[in-house]
Amino acid sequence: GGVEAETRQVLTNLKNVLEDAGSSLGNVVKTTVFLKDMGDFAKMNAIYGEFFTQNPPARSTVAVAGLPKGCNVEIEAVATLREYA
């Protein structure tokens, strides 16, 4: 599906995990995005912006040589259980 589909799936999964834990994407304070190809940054960033529309969390993006299962993107997040002010 390419980096756009993978980014959308990763963020949907993250949203679901956070909600199951009693949190939300709005409570994310920091993300780290791992990209197999930094040339995909703009495509990833467009999808990322659909999920973090207001007050996006601090973010680092790094290029990596490879990811598990041949993925193009992986996103790590740190979130609180309540809205971060």
Side-chain angles (χ1 to χ4, degrees):
V3 73
E4 295 99 333
E6 288 183 28
T7 301
R8 185 170 276 111
Q9 186 63 58
V10 167
L11 290 170
T12 297
N13 292 349
L14 178 60
K15 177 181 178 287
N16 292 337
V17 168
L18 288 168
E19 288 174 357
D20 285 350
S23 192
S24 71
L25 287 176
N27 295 348
V28 174
V29 296
K30 169 74 170 82
T31 63
T32 304
V33 178
F34 302 94
L35 283 176
K36 190 172 177 184
D37 181 354
M38 198 56 84
D40 287 332
F41 180 84
K43 293 175 185 176
M44 176 281 300
N45 197 50
I47 304 302
Y48 187 94
E50 294 175 12
F51 285 80
F52 294 106
T53 58
Q54 294 182 358
N55 302 316
R59 177 179 70 187
S60 300
T61 304
V62 295
V64 294
L67 291 167
K69 298 186 179 184
C71 294
N72 293 301
V73 62
E74 184 174 306
I75 300 175
E76 173 185 270
V78 176
T80 64
L81 287 176
R82 59 182 176 79
E83 191 70 29
Y84 184 73

